[in-house]
Amino acid sequence: MTESTFIHRFEPATSAGSPPLLLLHGTGGDENDLLGLGKMISPGSALLSPRGRVLEHGMPRFFRRLAEGVFDEDDVRRRAHELGDFVTEARQRYGIAAPIAVGFSNGANIAAALLLLKPDVLAGAILLRAMVPLSHPLKAVLGNKPVLLLSGQADPIVPASNSARLAALLSQAGAGVTHKVLPAGHQLSQADVTLARDWIGSVAAEAA
């Protein structure tokens, strides 16, 4: 077992035209949490779903935080590199292309960090209720990588100004960002599923 190994689930593709997805759960989730969501938004995609390796009061996460909304940024960097190494190894093991990350909450935050720190690992990302993961990230070059950022208007955890700053940060790095604010809180809604499915369909069509 290598240092970059994560407990994970992998489900192979059933449709050659569907992009592989990297599913990244929120706090307290595990490798099974987002499999259903992945199948809803991109039927036929290969699904790679790791479990976060940090425990907070027994709940898996992808990196440590110091308080609600206050991240241990050294740990964010270290864990993003670990996750990037895992994805690279998993691509070789399972024979998949660079995946589109689908992250919720803590999983969306590590996906955003991965875009900024190891952009070649991902083909794009769907960031559900994400925050800015690093206060002073290095300048990334995202080369028009597609990113869908879905925020909740009534989200008690992610301030609107923070999600707007993340959208601006990724856009400045060259990503093709679509940012929508939904009439929702922190939890996901049917609108998230519909928008993510439509977006990933358009991304797959452009790639084809």
Side-chain angles (χ1 to χ4, degrees):
M1 181 179 275
T2 64
E3 177 59 29
S4 57
T5 295
F6 283 67
I7 295 169
H8 66 280
R9 290 274 304 269
F10 177 74
E11 297 199 2
T14 57
S15 169
S18 302
L21 304 183
L22 173 67
L23 304 175
L24 301 168
H25 63 77
T27 300
D30 64 20
E31 65 277 15
N32 301 301
D33 260 31
L34 297 186
L35 292 174
L37 176 65
K39 291 171 183 174
M40 280 192 284
I41 65 174
S42 188
S45 283
L47 304 176
L48 177 63
S49 185
R51 182 193 302 180
R53 294 168 59 177
V54 173
L55 290 179
E56 181 182 275
H57 307 300
M59 298 184 296
R61 284 174 54 84
F62 286 98
F63 58 83
R64 286 199 299 265
R65 60 182 170 183
L66 307 175
E68 185 77 70
V70 182
F71 303 152
D72 180 338
E73 295 198 10
D74 288 339
D75 198 55
V76 172
R77 289 183 173 85
R78 183 163 73 89
R79 301 295 179 175
H81 283 284
E82 284 181 358
L83 182 60
D85 291 345
F86 163 74
V87 173
T88 300
E89 291 177 9
R91 286 187 58 193
Q92 294 172 342
R93 178 177 176 183
Y94 297 119
I96 58 173
I100 292 174
V102 180
F104 168 63
S105 193
N106 178 245
N109 298 336
I110 196 69
L114 204 51
L115 281 170
L116 293 167
L117 295 169
K118 290 177 75 79
D120 292 346
V121 168
L122 299 176
I126 297 174
L127 306 176
L128 306 164
R129 311 301 185 267
M131 296 178 70
V132 175
L134 297 164
S135 53
H136 300 290
L138 295 172
K139 180 70 172 172
V141 180
L142 293 178
N144 210 33
K145 229 177 264 288
V147 175
L148 176 64
L149 176 59
L150 298 179
S151 306
Q153 190 173 29
D155 192 331
I157 296 173
V158 184
S161 59
N162 191 293
S163 53
R165 189 152 55 90
L166 177 59
L169 184 67
L170 294 170
S171 294
Q172 288 160 12
V177 178
T178 301
H179 183 203
K180 294 188 180 296
V181 181
L182 307 179
H186 195 67
Q187 295 305 310
L188 300 182
S189 66
Q190 183 57 46
D192 290 282
V193 176
T194 301
L195 287 166
R197 185 175 60 230
D198 292 348
W199 180 88
I200 213 162
S202 67
V203 167
E206 282 181 27

